[in-house]
Amino acid sequence: MSDPRATGSARYAEDFELPGMLHARIVRSLFPHARVVRVDASAVPESCIVLTPDDVRDLSPYGCQIEDQNVLAERARHVGDPVAAVAAPTPEQAEEAVPLVEIDYEQLPAVFDAVEAAQPGAPLLHETAAAGGAAAYFAMRPQPGTNICHRFRIRHGDVDAGFAEADAIVERMYRIAGAQHAHMEPHACVAHWDGNRLELWTGTQTPFSMRDDLATIFGIPPEAIRIVSLPMGGSFGAKTFVRTEAIAAALARKAQRPVKLVLPRSEEWQTLNRHPATVTVKLGARADGTLVASQTTCYADTGAYADCGPGVAQKMGFAAPGPYRIPNVRVDAYCVYTNLAPNGAFRGYGQMQSTWARERALDTLAEQLGLDPVELRLRNIVRDGDVYCTGETLHDVRFAECLEAAAAAVRWSEGRRGKGIALVMKGMQTPSRAAIAIERDGDDYVLRCATTEMGQGAKRALSLEAARLLGVDVARIRFPDPDTSLVPYDTRTTSSRSTYMMSRALAEAVRDPRGYGEIRNEGGLDPDTGQGIASTHWHQGAAAADVEVDEETGKVTVTHLHTTTYAGRVVNRLGAELQTEGSMIMGLGTALFEEVAFEDGQVINANLSDYATPSFADVPTRFTYELIEEDGADVHGLGETALPPVPPAVGNAVASLGIEVDELPLKPETVLAAMKVRV
Amino acid sequence: MDVLTPSTLDEALRLKAEVPAARPIQGGTDVMVELNFDRARPPALLNLNEVRELRGWSRENGTLRLGSGLTYTEAMAGPLAEAFPALAEASRTVGSPQIRNRGTIGGNLGTASPAGDALPPLLVRGAEVELASVRGARTLLLTEFLVGPKRNALEPDELVTAVRVPAGPGSETFMKVGPRNAMVIAVVSLALRVDGDELLASYGSAGPVTGLVRAPLSERAGFPEQVAAAASPIDDVRGTSAYRRHALRVLTTRALDRCLA
């Protein structure tokens, strides 16, 4: 059977059409921070519908975790902030209408760095804290009078006392560049009003969050909204929550016709990127390598609007200490507004940043103590039944196994020059809820659930699992696109949770005479102390890299990349392997060259020629991985685990040659600069 | 936009004379990018893919004559790769297999980008460009043909028909530094040739035009510095000016070692 994605017959959100629909384009701010003084659309032809701030004044502000964003900005907070929108009979006419909308601005002072923006006296983006959004699963801690929209802390033990008894202390500041998801298919949706009912076909990982946010915006009950999540040509976190859908729906409301909105590639960089971050790590250990204190400060640059940044900052913070026994832990993580384009969910969700910082710091500490980095980790690694700094007990712990396997893969014991290793401990969305209904249709079984397909193979994995549980051939399982009017509530398809959560709901449904199954995982953290349950299910993995550095050009070549991931019970072998490979390749991009570059707040590499993602020619000659499996164990999500440890494994390998780089990506110029201060 | 598809060179030249603003297109790897980004809106495309006279290459009286329709894939292998190794090396670094199958040497000349990968190997060989129009044919040195960033000496009614280089012996190589290993515009590129007692280096992406630097072999020691000093690179998203000069110095040293080994 040929895969429709391979033959080109697959239909994605971008392919969806309704009769009589108009095509939309967004008119965007040219300035990073400016008041919109006047919008004049008089030059736009009559065949076009123009949406201006006047048209959306009745709509409520929105935001999945903080409701700080308006459908159109009357005060633009980043270059590319939507100020108006047009809809026309053809995409070309819509494109031509955009420059005909004249906008007068009054510029305001702007700030582009999260650490600077968090200081008192920095230009404020949002003077007053907005209400929490529907998808906020923890209490927000905005810091009044600053750009900090959320502060998360862990307080465990006595960190000062811990450092006082340390024989060695390292403290370093790490910077991680922003990245673009670079999903092949851009954001695409079609909105249609049927009286007071809104129907929306869109590529989204979060159909129910989308429904709830649009209900808030338009002031209608969630039941009056139908979201169909169409298959996505990639997402990696970009197609979460409201992106273009509110503008499409507001245009459709004004036009009284369906409206389709597909983002041009360049506008993706103005819509959502990964949080640039500055993470300072201080570690203290006794001479024998026993860790006694860990202190981490994270500044996550969330851009002009919070989006899910508070959650990203919180996850960056709660997993920052990592899979190590540390009696004294202090974490302060800040989610900070700046005048950059919004930053949000990105594969690895906060882990890319804090894993880089911690794992690099551990190697620097090992160097200072004269210890082998693997040995230092093994001396401190968490084991089954250990209590994490959040107070939760860890179960089914396989970090030591992952670490040892990864070290063996690069023949660590034969010499560690040019080699590096790193561990990742990644949480899953907690609390969270998943439900599924199984319907019988003749000889077929129909799965009704909100798990979305973005190319990760969720449909395949759950269909295989359903076939196994029902004892039928997989050809008899049907899995229609999620439609919120037909499927039970599910939190969302994020954080590598769906195979794990939804397969458990599926098992319940198979047992249930009505064919309905529901699973709830409870938990959450106190944002002021970090105590509680961070994750009911931890993703565990390690990466190892072998590198060569061209000491004249500064170019890093990864000759061998390996990851070991704890997989538990594997549901879909091919899918598990492809997710791992994809994660590793994506990790190489962040490690070596991916960086959203800005000048005065404007992205200067907003195209796929200037913004390079890894090509197959960048995949190391030796590219290996293993999944640690266990029959009868839980299913473990594998969508992200092999990604965050890749950059620090590469960075540590470079550091083993005496070149200490604290900044991602490891561009040739950055590596050359680090060689000048080489120890 | 009209698409004009001549099947002979005479017909192509006549069409170009009739519609001088028509944009010649072969593989389209440059032209289609310009159209898609709306950087140019020519009234017509002059599709040269059916013009047999522009295809292939030949040896003529001690010179290699490369048709402007020669693709990178054709330049990468076989006797041409042996006769013109630096061009073969450069061609192998262009884009992806699909792009190398479509992209042509003539396209690189027509676009005249300072980042054109075929230009440094041609420059170190002292290439001459054959131009033709209904008014007749003429030949220009490649150094005279490249007049500025993305600007060349073509008259509005002219087409590039071929490029000629001496077939003589010599040692040459091509190298580049890029942000990733394929499908990317170089940070800098360099072709180097040792021709008897003369050193010739040509750099790409390090100045408004692809530059050519010459020195006697006796000045080998100072040549890397001479190449770096001749370049006038800019700071951009791919690299700083300082890094580009540094990389040129490194590549020139390595290329000299390779060619004089």
Side-chain angles (χ1 to χ4, degrees):
Chain A
M1 187 185 69
S2 59
D3 189 319
R5 291 176 299 186
T7 60
S9 60
R11 287 294 166 263
Y12 298 95
E14 195 181 355
D15 300 312
F16 189 81
E17 295 185 337
L18 285 180
M21 69 182 190
L22 300 176
H23 297 267
R25 285 291 283 260
I26 296 172
V27 183
R28 296 176 179 277
S29 170
L30 303 173
F31 301 102
H33 201 181
R35 208 171 298 286
V36 175
V37 178
R38 189 181 65 103
V39 179
D40 178 359
S42 56
V44 177
E46 275 182 18
S47 59
C48 297
I49 302 289
V50 183
L51 194 73
T52 68
D54 285 340
D55 297 309
V56 296
R57 211 152 277 145
D58 64 314
L59 303 181
S60 297
Y62 69 99
C64 55
Q65 293 185 347
I66 297 177
E67 292 172 348
D68 57 6
Q69 190 164 8
N70 290 306
V71 174
L72 294 176
E74 292 188 71
R75 174 175 157 196
R77 292 181 172 88
H78 66 93
V79 175
D81 208 351
V83 173
V86 296
T90 69
E92 292 75 19
Q93 286 168 311
E95 187 182 350
E96 281 161 14
V98 169
L100 303 178
V101 181
E102 264 194 49
I103 299 163
D104 291 342
Y105 298 93
E106 181 189 309
Q107 290 196 63
L108 299 168
V111 60
F112 306 121
D113 175 80
V115 178
E116 227 174 273
Q119 305 311 313
L124 288 183
L125 275 87
H126 301 267
E127 277 73 12
T128 50
Y137 52 93
F138 49 85
M140 293 298 148
R141 290 290 182 267
Q143 303 298 301
T146 75
N147 286 308
I148 297 168
C149 62
H150 181 58
R151 183 193 68 193
F152 168 77
R153 291 174 155 179
I154 296 177
R155 294 292 182 264
H156 172 74
D158 182 341
V159 171
D160 296 330
F163 284 118
E165 61 176 286
D167 297 313
I169 292 174
V170 296
E171 182 170 13
R172 287 183 90 102
M173 187 175 81
Y174 300 90
R175 285 178 183 276
I176 301 91
Q180 160 61 210
H181 307 74
H183 36 84
M184 274 200 279
E185 180 203 31
H187 284 86
C189 70
V190 176
H192 169 62
W193 289 86
D194 180 6
N196 286 324
R197 273 183 61 83
L198 171 62
E199 295 182 294
L200 194 89
W201 292 262
T202 182
T204 181
Q205 297 178 230
T206 63
F208 279 99
S209 299
M210 179 75 69
R211 187 193 66 170
D212 295 349
D213 287 350
L214 289 169
T216 303
I217 293 168
F218 288 95
I220 56 177
E223 299 72 40
I225 300 177
R226 174 187 175 214
I227 308 289
V228 181
S229 177
L230 297 169
M232 290 162 264
S235 177
F236 311 108
K239 294 167 184 169
T240 47
F241 311 109
V242 173
R243 298 277 160 248
T244 57
E245 291 84 356
I247 291 172
L251 271 168
R253 185 178 73 157
K254 185 170 183 185
Q256 297 285 299
R257 284 170 69 177
V259 167
K260 180 172 183 171
L261 178 45
V262 179
L263 284 187
R265 177 63 61 186
S266 62
E267 293 181 25
E268 292 291 347
W269 279 263
Q270 300 180 323
T271 301
L272 201 76
N273 298 304
R274 185 182 70 205
H275 288 75
T278 303
V279 181
T280 303
V281 177
K282 184 177 175 186
L283 293 174
R286 293 212 188 91
D288 66 356
T290 306
L291 290 169
V292 289
S294 156
Q295 181 176 315
T296 310
T297 310
C298 311
Y299 289 90
D301 181 338
T302 205
Y305 302 101
D307 199 76
C308 63
V312 171
Q314 185 151 323
K315 273 198 171 175
M316 201 181 291
F318 76 61
Y324 307 102
R325 292 171 171 163
I326 313 174
N328 306 296
V329 174
R330 182 153 67 199
V331 174
D332 296 84
Y334 301 99
C335 182
V336 189
Y337 291 124
T338 67
N339 292 104
L340 299 182
N343 296 302
F346 186 105
R347 197 180 199 181
Y349 208 84
Q351 304 309 290
M352 297 296 282
Q353 296 92 338
S354 58
T355 304
W356 164 256
R358 176 194 68 241
E359 293 295 314
R360 284 286 300 111
L362 273 167
D363 268 40
T364 304
L365 179 67
E367 174 78 25
Q368 200 169 316
L369 288 165
L371 279 175
D372 181 303
V374 170
E375 184 54 34
L376 173 68
R377 285 175 174 80
L378 281 174
R379 277 190 201 177
N380 294 285
I381 208 155
V382 289
R383 311 269 177 182
D384 226 34
D386 277 358
V387 177
Y388 192 52
C389 58
T390 52
E392 71 207 83
T393 303
L394 303 172
H395 301 286
D396 202 9
V397 175
R398 304 301 182 103
F399 289 108
E401 228 176 300
C402 290
L403 177 64
E404 284 170 335
V410 293
R411 298 198 299 268
W412 188 269
S413 58
E414 293 171 26
R416 56 167 298 254
R417 205 176 148 69
K419 296 174 190 171
I421 203 154
L423 279 171
V424 64
M425 172 176 184
K426 189 195 160 292
M428 187 201 74
Q429 175 63 39
T430 303
S432 110
R433 199 170 118 197
I436 190 167
I438 305 175
E439 288 171 12
R440 194 73 199 257
D441 181 10
D443 284 344
D444 289 354
Y445 293 87
V446 182
L447 305 185
R448 299 272 181 210
C449 77
T451 296
T452 61
E453 181 60 50
M454 63 195 103
Q456 87 280 36
K459 283 193 175 186
R460 180 74 185 159
L462 290 172
S463 296
L464 285 169
E465 189 67 352
R468 185 182 72 87
L469 291 165
L470 291 162
V472 300
D473 190 273
V474 71
R476 287 177 49 203
I477 307 294
R478 298 213 315 261
F479 195 155
D481 297 330
D483 177 337
T484 56
S485 65
L486 295 174
V487 301
Y489 180 87
D490 171 64
T491 305
R492 49 190 163 266
T493 306
T494 61
S495 72
S496 305
R497 66 181 282 280
S498 293
T499 311
Y500 167 66
M501 290 293 287
M502 201 54 87
S503 69
R504 289 161 68 217
L506 182 66
E508 293 287 319
V510 169
R511 279 193 288 273
D512 182 66
R514 298 159 305 157
Y516 178 78
E518 184 176 319
I519 290 289
R520 284 163 187 266
N521 273 16
E522 303 298 345
L525 294 175
D526 178 327
D528 300 315
T529 62
Q531 299 303 297
I533 294 173
S535 179
T536 52
H537 178 85
W538 291 94
H539 300 132
Q540 309 171 44
D546 202 338
V547 308
E548 283 168 7
V549 176
D550 182 327
E551 300 204 352
E552 290 179 324
T553 64
K555 184 180 162 69
V556 175
T557 302
V558 180
T559 55
H560 183 190
L561 183 65
H562 178 90
T563 61
T564 302
T565 309
Y566 179 52
R569 181 169 66 83
V570 171
V571 170
N572 173 14
R573 170 141 328 268
L574 182 63
E577 291 178 355
L578 292 176
Q579 282 294 302
T580 302
E581 289 186 8
S583 293
M584 291 166 71
I585 296 172
M586 208 163 178
L588 284 169
T590 285
L592 298 176
F593 42 73
E594 282 190 53
E595 173 181 26
V596 180
F598 295 93
E599 217 169 272
D600 299 328
Q602 170 148 358
V603 180
I604 55 169
N605 54 353
N607 61 70
L608 291 172
S609 171
D610 292 323
Y611 184 92
T613 58
S615 74
F616 276 106
D618 297 297
V619 176
T621 324
R622 295 201 64 209
F623 185 71
T624 56
Y625 54 88
E626 67 198 296
L627 304 172
I628 296 177
E629 294 179 46
E630 183 143 323
D631 279 342
D634 274 347
V635 170
H636 273 243
L638 296 170
E640 302 163 281
T641 319
L643 174 54
V646 169
V650 174
N652 285 340
V654 172
S656 77
L657 303 169
I659 309 164
E660 294 263 357
V661 183
D662 297 332
E663 194 178 317
L664 281 177
L666 292 149
K667 290 186 297 188
E669 296 197 59
T670 310
V671 173
L672 276 186
M675 284 175 58
K676 294 198 178 118
V677 293
R678 179 172 196 164
V679 280
Chain B
M1 184 169 23
D2 293 328
V3 179
L4 313 171
T5 304
S7 52
T8 65
L9 181 58
D10 282 348
E11 193 187 350
L13 296 177
R14 189 167 48 73
L15 287 167
K16 188 67 173 138
E18 282 169 15
V19 191
R23 184 85 159 86
I25 181 169
Q26 292 261 14
T29 60
D30 282 337
V31 175
M32 292 313 295
V33 173
E34 279 187 31
L35 296 183
N36 287 337
F37 281 97
D38 204 17
R39 289 178 195 143
R41 291 192 184 189
L45 290 180
L46 183 60
N47 170 24
L48 299 174
N49 283 284
E50 307 297 320
V51 180
R52 295 191 60 85
E53 294 98 314
L54 302 179
R55 309 283 294 274
W57 66 281
S58 57
R59 284 178 200 272
E60 289 173 10
N61 308 323
T63 66
L64 300 172
R65 185 178 183 276
L66 316 180
S68 62
L70 185 83
T71 66
Y72 295 106
T73 299
E74 290 166 334
M76 271 163 50
L80 180 56
E82 280 168 38
F84 201 165
L87 181 67
E89 286 175 85
S91 298
R92 288 181 198 117
T93 72
V94 173
S96 60
Q98 294 90 331
I99 289 169
R100 294 193 286 271
N101 286 339
R102 296 292 308 164
T104 61
I105 307 293
N108 242 209
L109 293 165
T111 301
S113 160
D117 288 303
L119 301 180
L122 290 170
L123 280 161
V124 296
R125 279 272 185 136
E128 293 176 330
V129 187
E130 292 181 15
L131 309 176
S133 70
V134 289
R135 297 176 287 115
R138 61 176 176 139
T139 300
L140 279 181
L141 276 172
L142 180 52
T143 46
E144 297 164 353
F145 176 78
L146 301 170
V147 296
K150 299 207 172 180
R151 280 174 33 236
N152 58 39
L154 275 168
E155 294 295 333
D157 62 346
E158 278 184 318
L159 292 174
V160 176
T161 51
V163 60
R164 281 200 313 255
V165 300
S171 180
E172 62 181 34
T173 191
F174 175 87
M175 297 173 174
K176 76 182 183 189
V177 176
R180 67 176 171 191
N181 291 336
M183 299 213 294
V184 74
I185 297 170
V187 174
V188 286
S189 62
L190 179 95
L192 186 125
R193 183 171 166 85
V194 182
D195 208 338
D197 287 337
E198 192 179 22
L199 298 172
L200 299 106
S202 175
Y203 51 81
S205 299
V209 292
T210 314
L212 178 64
V213 186
R214 297 161 180 263
L217 182 57
S218 57
E219 289 174 21
R220 174 191 173 170
F223 198 53
E225 196 51 53
Q226 190 188 338
V227 172
S232 49
I234 54 164
D235 288 335
D236 71 10
V237 70
R238 291 191 175 82
T240 61
S241 162
Y243 181 77
R244 286 188 158 102
R245 276 189 211 279
H246 170 80
L248 277 180
R249 220 172 277 132
V250 172
L251 292 189
T252 306
T253 306
R254 288 181 183 181
L256 283 169
D257 288 347
R258 193 185 282 178
C259 290
L260 294 167

